[in-house]
Amino acid sequence: MGRKLLTEHINVEGIDTLEVYRKHGGYRSVEKAIKTMTPEEVVEEVKKSGLRGRGGAGFPTGMKWSFLAKPEGVPRYLVCNADESEPGTFKDRQLMSKLPHLLIEGMITSSYALGANTSYIYIRGELLYVLRILEKAIAEAYAAGYLGKNILGSGYDLDLYLHPGGGAYICGEETALLESLEGKRGNPRNKPPFPAVQGLYARPTVVNNVESIAAIPVIVNEGGDEYAKIGIGRSTGTKLISACGHLNKPGIYEIELGLPVEEFIYSDEYCGGIWKGRELKAVVAGGSSVPILPKELILKTAAGENRLMTYESLSDGGFVTGTMLGSGGFIAMDETTCIVRNTWNFSRFYHHESCGQCSPCREGTGWLEKVLHRLEYGHGRMEDIDLLVSVAKQIEGNTICPLGEAAAWPVAAAVRHFREEFEWHVTNAKEAVQPGAVFPGKAVLV
Amino acid sequence: MAKITFDGIEVEVPDGTTILNAARQIGGSIVPPAMCYYTPLKGSGGKCRACLVRVAAGSAKDPRPMPKLVASCVTPVQDGMIVENTTSEQVMDVRKGIVEMLLINHPLDCPVCDQAGECDLQNFAYEHGVSTTRYVEERRTFEKIDIGPLIQLHMTRCILCYRCVYTADQLTDKRVHGVLGRGDAAEIGTYIENIIDNDFSGNVIDVCPVGALTDKTFRFKQRVWFTKPVNAHRDCENEKCGGRVVLWYKGKDVLRVTARKDEYGEVKEWICNTCRFDKKETADWTIEGPAHIDRSSVISANHYELPVVNPQVIADLPESSVRDLEQNPPMKLGN
């Protein structure tokens, strides 16, 4: 059994109330940090822990915190990015609805470390029920003196605000989130300046994912060194994985980083294998924006070693034979999955969610979707396959924010690993458009 | 001050200058194109991605190259930075892609478009694009939208550069238009139906890089290259208006009044609607003399002047060009 650092008490009755949460060791990190540690010491522990951002990019959290500009007399902000909405990623929402006080505790400890007196949780508008749960929990925390003026008599003040977004995927991009939080249209900003220098209201700001912030209490309680002992190499600690698709036991699992992918898919402790006794065909390991990998490559690296659930192992081989851990949105597809249809479906999402601010993304995402739509519905041409790769390349790296890459990578990877299937959709168009039609051959590895 | 190398040419610029503006100090054809950036408009730039360049060395302190191409219009220079624009194959390749993307929905109706001859996209496509497209899907079209008696909005031609939105935001106190929708469904709109009628609304025509916003009082009266631009000024009653304009003549008639622009098509001073739309008699104005038209406009393509280059800065100018420049130094019309 892997250790559960965040979700140990997730199924305890009433854990969403302050009383029960405290009975299970809640808010210890606030007491410890505020009463016995300086903000710098907290930052140091986070650095030692090796915690990497759990929102997808995997940037070291402690380092991100240390970049925060600290001019005198200027407010600083901590913003929690709770705008989770990538297809396949649904772990933050569960964490917040079941353990709202864990997030609040993390927010208080992190805000103290960063010297922020005002913090925000920017939550996706559709998650109204989670918003209600958090609202209640925040009120409880205020009443108990964990929030507000002079927290625990320490002289430290913190106000925590919940801000529902309008339900746009782009608002999960940190600068678009800040624009939206400021009341503007959620368009990403040009960088530099980075939020650490000029973020919310042009003040130094740290934007962290829900899961990253939820890990802070554990790090403060146990110490950064202890946290760093879990995991492998630069992938320390535990990670929530939201597993979905053709699995016997889809769900949200907290794993210790370093777990073999094969074990995650097939062991009974986790996903319990592929449903209906079918074969695994492909996996999207880190949310729909990361490159898809066929079974052979998701289980083993190019060197033939076991692929592990770590930032490094999953990205081994770059984007030719590797992928990314991303936000941990693990989508498994069995042998009956049509990769063309799946790629079109992902593409449809990114086309719909592009903010339209920069030209390659605005025009390119639509172009990709239309070509994929044609291929899926039997009107594709052979040259469309290379066209997809070329258009994806025109988008990738040339946009203001990473949504361009998120739209381009899945398409480029699908063609890279399943080109034969795309060709079959052109040459056997009549057959391919039948409901449930699936490419009869085996995917050819590069 | 920061010293940077742009396409092999060294230039020293004040700290905080953007790469694009550093390149503009060198001038000539190495300057990256800009469709959305507009110096007088705060916050503009970074959207069209036409000006992407490769930063081969970030700075003297940290000489690592930047991992992605950067938008030169919004990226400040660092001392010791090395930038590749025309010398980078990757940049040239990407630019072709950007032209292709921008032309997906922009109709190629230059023969009937009022902006022909003054269109940034036309120039950009001519310099960096290819003559064919791989796009075979249905293109987006729009119903005509009435936004008042002075300005014609043609959404089909809009490339969503946001310049007109910034103009309205920064020049007037009652903005009625903005960007509605998102992705390739985004459009410039006046939310429900509204008329753009403030004193400085005409400036959105000047900043529009394509033919999406045109002057209703001039449309279809003449092609711009058949008109004669003349600098003129008047004492304008409007405090914010400089009253310095260009009158576009056909024979004795003033067909159009615009603000004066620099060689990159950026207005030097905003003008009010009275100057632009109501003063179309020569008697209204004090004439200064012929206006100078720069760069790649169709008007200058008639070779009234030699290309704008700076032989002192561009060391490796071909010998023939240097000789040509010595024999025929650039002269201004009207001098």
Side-chain angles (χ1 to χ4, degrees):
Chain A
M1 282 288 281
R3 270 167 292 182
K4 306 270 183 283
L5 301 182
L6 309 181
T7 59
E8 193 185 348
H9 307 297
I10 198 162
N11 290 323
V12 171
E13 182 86 9
I15 193 73
D16 59 334
T17 62
L18 185 83
E19 197 193 338
V20 179
Y21 182 69
R22 278 183 60 174
K23 264 188 206 160
H24 288 85
Y27 288 99
R28 269 192 300 138
S29 75
V30 175
E31 308 242 356
K32 184 177 177 187
I34 293 185
K35 287 185 176 165
T36 67
M37 295 168 83
T38 63
E40 292 74 27
E41 282 169 350
V42 181
V43 175
E44 202 47 44
E45 287 303 318
V46 176
K47 271 190 182 169
K48 275 194 228 162
S49 74
L51 175 72
R52 294 169 70 172
R54 302 297 196 223
F59 192 80
T61 305
M63 200 188 287
K64 190 174 188 174
W65 285 13
S66 62
F67 287 157
L68 186 71
K70 291 185 176 163
E72 283 297 313
V74 170
R76 297 186 280 279
Y77 298 105
L78 171 67
V79 178
C80 172
N81 184 346
D83 194 72
E84 173 178 69
S85 47
E86 182 145 318
T89 308
F90 45 89
K91 38 120 193 157
D92 289 346
R93 137 193 122 166
Q94 188 77 346
L95 197 63
M96 288 188 287
S97 64
K98 295 270 189 175
L99 292 163
H101 282 289
L102 178 64
L103 175 62
I104 296 166
E105 183 182 353
M107 286 299 285
I108 300 166
T109 315
S110 308
S111 301
Y112 172 72
L114 295 166
N117 296 108
T118 308
S119 296
Y120 296 88
I121 299 173
Y122 183 97
I123 187 167
R124 187 168 175 78
E126 278 99 328
L127 300 181
L128 200 61
Y129 72 103
V130 183
L131 183 100
R132 297 280 176 257
I133 294 168
L134 277 171
E135 257 176 0
K136 195 168 144 268
I138 290 173
E140 280 184 323
Y142 264 106
Y146 290 119
L147 283 169
K149 295 263 176 238
N150 195 18
I151 295 170
L152 306 176
S154 64
Y156 172 64
D157 308 332
L158 175 66
D159 280 311
L160 179 60
Y161 296 98
L162 258 179
H163 184 103
Y169 172 69
I170 191 63
C171 290
E173 197 278 336
E174 62 174 358
T175 56
L177 185 153
L178 295 177
E179 285 282 296
S180 172
L181 194 50
E182 287 179 9
K184 297 182 231 159
R185 189 185 153 94
N187 282 354
R189 295 176 184 168
N190 286 301
K191 283 161 276 185
F194 290 92
V197 180
Q198 239 181 66
L200 187 64
Y201 309 123
R203 303 297 187 209
T205 305
V206 164
V207 183
N208 278 146
N209 174 256
V210 172
E211 194 188 338
S212 313
I213 290 174
I216 302 299
V218 181
I219 292 167
V220 170
N221 287 337
E222 310 296 327
D225 289 330
E226 282 301 308
Y227 187 87
K229 283 180 190 163
I230 304 168
I232 290 177
R234 285 175 52 234
S235 299
T236 60
T238 60
K239 172 93 189 80
L240 291 180
I241 305 287
S242 53
C244 63
H246 302 148
L247 295 162
N248 276 326
K249 293 198 298 171
I252 299 162
Y253 296 96
E254 183 173 1
I255 59 155
E256 287 184 29
L257 284 169
L259 181 80
V261 175
E262 192 162 6
E263 194 182 329
F264 181 68
I265 298 175
Y266 292 102
S267 85
D268 281 339
E269 190 183 339
Y270 299 104
C271 303
I274 306 302
W275 75 343
K276 299 180 182 174
R278 288 182 190 157
E279 271 283 300
L280 177 68
K281 180 173 184 176
V283 166
V284 173
S288 67
S289 63
V290 309
I292 188 171
L293 283 187
K295 178 188 177 181
E296 293 77 2
L297 285 177
I298 191 69
L299 299 181
K300 303 273 182 204
T301 63
E305 290 163 0
N306 273 345
R307 184 87 73 178
L308 308 178
M309 301 286 272
T310 63
Y311 292 94
E312 292 78 22
S313 181
L314 279 168
S315 58
D316 184 63
F319 282 174
V320 178
T321 57
T323 180
M324 288 168 81
L325 178 64
S327 55
F330 195 94
I331 311 170
M333 298 168 204
D334 75 14
E335 57 196 321
T336 65
T337 309
C338 173
I339 297 295
V340 177
R341 189 170 187 82
N342 176 69
T343 313
W344 167 60
N345 203 22
F346 282 172
S347 212
R348 207 156 56 112
F349 175 79
Y350 291 106
H351 175 203
H352 185 261
E353 295 297 337
S354 166
C355 81
Q357 201 184 185
C358 59
S359 18
C361 177
R362 180 182 65 239
E363 307 296 350
T365 49
W367 195 354
L368 286 178
E369 198 233 303
K370 286 172 187 167
V371 174
L372 282 160
H373 181 268
R374 273 197 291 114
L375 278 163
E376 168 59 14
Y377 285 93
H379 304 291
R381 308 165 303 169
M382 213 40 121
E383 61 262 37
D384 284 340
I385 300 166
D386 285 330
L387 179 67
L388 284 175
V389 179
S390 168
V391 173
K393 199 166 155 249
Q394 279 176 8
I395 304 171
E396 184 192 339
N398 299 331
T399 51
I400 295 177
C401 81
L403 193 131
E405 275 97 45
W409 286 340
V411 176
V415 175
R416 188 184 309 126
H417 298 299
F418 299 94
R419 179 177 271 272
E420 268 201 354
E421 192 160 337
F422 281 83
E423 287 171 358
W424 181 75
H425 266 256
V426 177
T427 51
N428 298 303
K430 274 189 185 165
E431 202 182 326
V433 295
Q434 299 302 318
V438 182
F439 174 60
K442 274 265 175 200
V444 176
L445 294 181
V446 285
Chain B
M1 295 295 276
K3 199 181 266 185
I4 75 158
T5 310
F6 190 96
D7 275 359
I9 303 164
E10 265 195 13
V11 60
E12 201 170 31
V13 292
D15 292 327
T17 309
T18 59
I19 297 173
L20 180 73
N21 280 329
R24 283 181 175 181
Q25 299 213 358
I26 300 168
S29 56
I30 59 160
V31 179
M35 305 294 298
C36 67
Y37 175 75
Y38 209 70
T39 312
L41 296 172
K42 206 170 149 252
S44 67
K47 296 177 177 62
C48 67
R49 317 305 280 176
C51 71
L52 289 179
V53 291
R54 180 170 179 270
V55 176
S59 66
K61 272 188 204 160
D62 183 2
R64 286 176 301 174
M66 290 190 182
K68 292 179 186 176
L69 301 185
V70 300
S72 60
C73 64
V74 289
T75 310
V77 295
Q78 301 271 343
D79 192 35
M81 189 182 254
I82 298 173
V83 184
E84 293 172 359
N85 179 39
T86 54
T87 52
S88 162
E89 212 172 297
Q90 186 193 359
V91 172
M92 291 294 111
D93 214 38
V94 164
R95 227 160 259 174
K96 267 186 208 149
I98 302 288
V99 172
E100 193 177 23
M101 297 282 190
L102 287 176
L103 290 180
I104 281 182
N105 284 312
H106 183 94
L108 289 178
D109 59 354
C110 311
V112 297
C113 174
D114 229 45
Q115 190 87 354
E118 295 181 315
C119 175
D120 289 355
L121 184 56
Q122 196 178 27
N123 296 336
F124 181 37
Y126 179 72
E127 285 161 16
H128 296 280
V130 287
S131 56
T132 54
T133 179
R134 299 171 294 171
Y135 192 85
V136 295
E137 327 300 330
E138 197 176 319
R139 288 152 204 270
R140 98 185 156 157
T141 52
F142 289 89
E143 294 291 322
K144 275 193 178 168
I145 308 162
D146 184 14
I147 57 165
L150 301 172
I151 304 162
Q152 179 65 53
L153 170 61
H154 262 293
M155 245 333 281
T156 36
R157 296 193 185 121
C158 177
I159 57 162
L160 287 159
C161 70
Y162 286 60
R163 280 184 187 175
C164 63
V165 180
Y166 285 111
T167 306
D169 245 351
Q170 292 168 26
L171 294 191
T172 66
D173 48 11
K174 51 170 195 174
R175 167 157 85 91
V176 294
H177 81 281
V179 176
L180 312 176
R182 67 183 175 206
D184 59 6
E187 59 177 290
I188 297 291
T190 54
Y191 195 56
I192 315 294
E193 273 182 16
N194 228 327
I195 286 174
I196 299 178
D197 66 346
N198 59 69
D199 281 355
F200 280 77
S201 64
N203 289 292
V204 299
I205 299 165
D206 277 347
V207 301
C208 183
V210 292
L213 290 161
T214 49
D215 182 345
K216 268 191 180 171
T217 67
F218 172 68
R219 280 164 62 77
F220 307 130
K221 289 203 171 152
Q222 201 50 256
R223 308 315 315 235
V224 284
W225 55 90
F226 293 135
T227 60
K228 194 172 119 193
V230 170
N231 282 340
H233 65 266
R234 65 183 278 270
D235 284 330
C236 184
E237 311 75 37
N238 195 319
E239 282 174 10
K240 290 183 193 165
C241 174
R244 278 175 285 278
V245 300
V246 178
L247 308 177
W248 299 77
Y249 275 93
K250 177 72 179 174
K252 288 180 182 171
D253 300 330
V254 177
L255 296 187
R256 178 172 74 150
V257 183
T258 65
R260 292 189 200 174
K261 295 183 180 180
D262 65 13
E263 60 179 309
Y264 300 107
E266 293 178 347
V267 302
K268 295 172 182 169
E269 274 176 67
W270 307 108
I271 60 168
C272 69
N273 282 5
T274 311
C275 287
R276 184 186 303 271
F277 298 115
D278 299 340
K279 302 290 177 187
K280 293 206 176 168
E281 298 294 332
T282 304
D284 296 328
W285 299 94
T286 308
I287 305 295
E288 295 171 18
H292 166 74
I293 302 295
D294 270 313
R295 221 169 169 232
S296 44
S297 156
V298 170
I299 304 165
S300 65
N302 287 332
H303 301 293
Y304 293 133
E305 290 180 38
L306 284 163
V308 187
V309 285
N310 187 342
Q312 285 83 35
V313 186
I314 301 178
D316 55 351
L317 202 66
E319 216 172 275
S320 58
S321 300
V322 175
R323 210 169 35 244
D324 216 15
L325 276 168
E326 280 168 1
Q327 285 165 7
N328 305 294
M331 61 170 196
K332 297 235 181 301
L333 280 173
N335 281 355

